[in-house]
Amino acid sequence: MTIALSPATPVRLLCQQQLTRKPVLFCFQDTFPTSGNVVCWSASANYSSLWVGARRLQPLVKPSWGKRSGIVRCATIEEIEAEKSSIEKDVKERMEKTVETVRSNFNSIRTGRASPAMLDKIEVDYYGTPVSLKSIAQISTPDASSILVQPYDKSSLKAIEKAIVSSDVGMTPNNDGEVIRLAVPQLTSDRRKELSKIVSKQAEEGKVAIRNIRRDALKAYEKLEKEKKLSEDNVKDLSSDLQKVTDEYMKKIDTVFKQKEKELLKV
């Protein structure tokens, strides 16, 4: 829990919450009665100052002193929530991209059945600039065992043929001057097992990336705790929520891996 510092915030409320050990954004090192001797409590926007008699109380948060004595800059609830939301958004975006990368890597591995995704990773030297094959040609599968590549610019046929030959797709292009045809060979049992090991490794690399994203988020939460913007309980709750998100994306990687493995081992 955090408290917005404003002229309407009772000092008694601040003190009571500190005594009951509820997490607060702003608390004081001095012990003092909650009535009778508070001369001045003032605040404006994010700045606050508390005086007891002729004595100014020191805040536990690290102050950023201005020209006037007794002024401290504190984070507002809105600022803290914005930082938390930013961390959560970054985590989900990065984890989603990781799953998509794993899925893309799986799609580029042939399973014995023709698929345009087999050529996703092929780059063509197009007038001196490397571009993806699918950006300069239409790729289709006329049947389960062949792929058809139709370039938008027929002058790029030679470059496309060269790119396919130098790639690791394991198919020989047939260039008839209009289009390029690729015959997808059937996989042997040994080759299927080899590819299964490759996708298993790629899935594990994806999980490692997910764990690293979780680690980065935890460090960000710990940083907010050190800055007194989050309490220890806040960090524990956020860490628990983060673990749930992490588990969710781990399951997504397991799902795409099992699907790909099933395709590879299916004869």
Side-chain angles (χ1 to χ4, degrees):
M1 175 179 176
T2 57
I3 300 174
L5 298 176
S6 70
T9 305
V11 175
R12 179 184 295 277
L13 178 60
L14 285 171
C15 297
Q16 287 174 342
Q17 287 177 332
Q18 174 64 10
L19 292 173
T20 55
R21 296 184 181 278
K22 292 181 179 180
V24 297
L25 171 64
F26 194 75
C27 54
F28 302 91
Q29 293 174 336
D30 301 72
T31 301
F32 58 93
T34 61
S35 63
N37 64 345
V38 176
V39 173
C40 176
W41 168 264
S42 63
S44 175
N46 301 332
Y47 295 86
S48 59
S49 182
L50 179 64
W51 294 78
V52 177
R55 187 161 55 99
R56 174 177 52 76
L57 299 180
Q58 295 284 2
L60 286 177
V61 294
K62 184 179 178 180
S64 176
W65 300 106
K67 293 182 180 180
R68 292 191 298 161
S69 177
I71 303 300
V72 61
R73 174 68 166 83
C74 302
T76 64
I77 294 177
E78 290 78 9
E79 289 173 336
I80 294 172
E81 289 300 324
E83 288 193 63
K84 285 165 54 181
S85 297
S86 176
I87 294 170
E88 292 165 1
K89 181 181 178 182
D90 179 65
V91 165
K92 290 185 177 180
E93 286 181 350
R94 291 173 63 192
M95 287 187 177
E96 195 63 47
K97 286 180 180 178
T98 298
V99 173
E100 287 304 312
T101 298
V102 171
R103 184 179 287 113
S104 176
N105 289 338
F106 286 174
N107 287 340
S108 65
I109 296 177
R110 67 186 183 91
T111 60
R113 183 179 179 83
S115 169
M118 292 179 178
L119 308 182
D120 278 355
K121 288 192 172 183
I122 294 181
E123 287 194 341
V124 180
D125 185 2
Y126 188 60
Y127 293 106
T129 303
V131 296
S132 64
L133 173 58
K134 60 185 178 181
S135 70
I136 62 172
Q138 181 180 350
I139 305 172
S140 59
T141 52
D143 53 61
S145 61
S146 64
I147 299 176
L148 185 66
V149 180
Q150 295 177 291
Y152 302 126
D153 176 9
K154 290 183 181 180
S155 66
S156 64
L157 274 170
K158 288 288 185 181
I160 292 174
E161 182 180 9
K162 182 179 179 181
I164 294 174
V165 170
S166 60
S167 71
D168 59 356
V169 295
M171 292 180 280
T172 302
N174 179 12
N175 181 357
D176 65 4
E178 295 289 331
V179 297
I180 291 177
R181 289 181 174 82
L182 299 168
V184 180
Q186 291 298 311
L187 296 175
T188 64
S189 178
D190 289 342
R191 181 57 177 163
R192 290 177 189 277
K193 290 178 181 178
E194 289 176 10
L195 292 176
S196 181
K197 291 179 181 179
I198 291 174
V199 297
S200 177
K201 180 181 178 182
Q202 290 178 345
E204 184 55 37
E205 289 172 350
K207 288 183 177 181
V208 170
I210 294 292
R211 294 188 195 103
N212 288 340
I213 294 169
R214 174 182 175 275
R215 179 199 61 199
D216 293 343
L218 287 174
K219 287 183 178 180
Y221 288 143
E222 290 169 0
K223 181 175 181 290
L224 291 178
E225 182 184 6
K226 289 179 181 179
E227 294 172 351
K228 305 299 180 181
K229 293 180 179 179
L230 292 177
S231 70
E232 183 179 351
D233 288 340
N234 290 150
V235 173
K236 286 181 180 178
D237 290 341
L238 290 169
S239 298
S240 177
D241 292 341
L242 178 61
Q243 186 59 54
K244 291 177 183 177
V245 174
T246 301
D247 293 341
E248 176 187 343
Y249 281 93
M250 287 290 196
K251 288 179 181 178
K252 288 185 178 183
I253 289 180
D254 281 334
T255 298
V256 294
F257 166 64
K258 288 177 181 178
Q259 289 174 344
K260 188 63 179 181
E261 187 178 44
K262 185 178 179 180
E263 289 177 13
L264 286 171
L265 299 179
K266 184 178 179 180
V267 180

